[in-house]
Amino acid sequence: MADAIIRLDSVTKRFGPVEAVRDVSLAVRRGEFISLLGPSGCGKSTILRMIAGFEPPDSGRIIIDGAEVGGVPPNRRPVNMVFQNYALFPHLTVFDNVAFGLRRKRVARAEVGRRAERFIELVGLEGLGDRYPSQLSGGQQQRVALARALVNQPTLLLADEPTGNLDSRTSVEVMGIFQELNEQGLTVLLVTHEPDIAEHARRVVTFKDGLLLSDLTPPRRRLAREELQEQTA
């Protein structure tokens, strides 16, 4: 597929005797919003971790942006990842959490400030830059994690159960952010075990026992922000 930003070719991953991912082939087109749906232990998060570089496949190839990434470490892949448990630094403020990756790359101080503030505002946390994670709600912490991933301007955003620790209202808000970012051109690959969350994506790929079962394009769900307005009307 010429316009694929990610391609998995016959990828298999084993943990001891367990075959967590079984000969999976999948292509993600540039600008798509795809959810990987299935129960816990079906291999979907392992696929995300292999794309990000946290786990190597036992066989098969992973190609990102036209280049095979076998052996390429996570920090050299054109992706960023959002986790279910947020993975924020508790001793850093919202601003410093978001700015962390830029500072490690030795981006100029003025540019760090401009970009960090821009993405803090983008996820709806303007005015909260000096707070610490312990002073935020779960939904706000997930927004910080999202801003931290986006500030590096990745080609691709990976999200592993990003609403798993959130209530239904906050989940809808967070999915609205993902949808808006996708509509602005960001490619999003999201893992979830919740069908309602999966349906916010433009394409739903279902897994079970390490196997890809189905790859569907459901009717486009209305924007999450509109659903939220209905819930609170």
Side-chain angles (χ1 to χ4, degrees):
M1 187 180 298
D3 60 343
I5 189 171
I6 301 175
R7 196 170 80 239
L8 277 64
D9 291 338
S10 301
V11 170
T12 293
K13 178 65 180 179
R14 301 177 185 87
F15 295 101
V18 177
E19 210 168 37
V21 176
R22 302 164 61 185
D23 195 31
V24 168
S25 294
L26 176 70
V28 179
R29 297 179 183 89
R30 192 176 304 276
E32 279 197 299
F33 182 2
I34 298 179
S35 62
L36 306 184
L37 173 66
S40 297
C42 71
K44 59 191 188 300
S45 290
T46 300
I47 289 173
L48 224 59
R49 291 179 63 81
M50 288 192 290
I51 294 170
F54 298 125
E55 298 282 357
D58 290 312
S59 62
R61 299 190 307 159
I62 298 176
I63 298 166
I64 302 177
D65 228 0
E68 189 171 353
V69 293
V72 178
N75 64 342
R76 293 183 56 195
R77 299 190 182 198
V79 305
N80 267 327
M81 192 161 176
V82 178
F83 300 91
Q84 178 179 352
N85 64 356
Y86 319 134
L88 301 177
F89 297 110
H91 62 290
L92 298 182
T93 64
V94 168
F95 179 91
D96 289 334
N97 264 285
V98 175
F100 182 81
L102 298 177
R103 288 171 173 159
R104 288 199 64 183
K105 292 180 179 178
R106 301 185 185 279
V107 174
R109 183 174 180 178
E111 179 68 5
V112 169
R114 185 187 69 80
R115 282 168 62 177
E117 291 292 352
R118 174 191 167 200
F119 284 98
I120 288 171
E121 182 176 352
L122 177 68
V123 298
L125 295 178
E126 58 271 23
L128 302 182
D130 59 350
R131 294 195 183 182
Y132 290 88
S134 62
Q135 298 173 301
L136 303 176
S137 68
Q140 289 172 327
Q141 290 184 58
Q142 188 59 283
R143 289 167 186 259
V144 177
L146 185 53
R148 185 179 61 185
L150 293 171
V151 78
N152 292 309
Q153 298 176 306
T155 305
L156 168 71
L157 184 66
L158 308 177
D160 191 3
E161 298 280 4
T163 64
N165 291 330
L166 306 179
D167 60 42
S168 58
R169 174 189 172 90
T170 307
S171 295
V172 169
E173 292 175 345
V174 169
M175 292 308 298
I177 295 173
F178 280 112
Q179 287 181 316
E180 290 175 12
L181 292 169
N182 174 248
E183 288 166 1
Q184 294 169 23
L186 182 69
T187 306
V188 180
L189 187 60
L190 181 147
V191 159
T192 183
H193 65 277
E194 302 177 82
D196 287 350
I197 294 298
E199 289 173 6
H200 287 287
R202 295 178 182 270
R203 183 174 155 204
V204 179
V205 181
T206 304
F207 288 85
K208 184 178 181 181
D209 297 331
L211 292 170
L212 194 160
L213 292 187
S214 64
D215 187 344
L216 304 173
T217 303
R220 180 64 166 149
R221 185 169 180 154
R222 73 165 63 102
L223 284 175
R225 63 175 178 269
E226 295 174 1
E227 181 183 348
L228 182 64
Q229 288 170 357
E230 279 193 0
Q231 290 179 4
T232 56

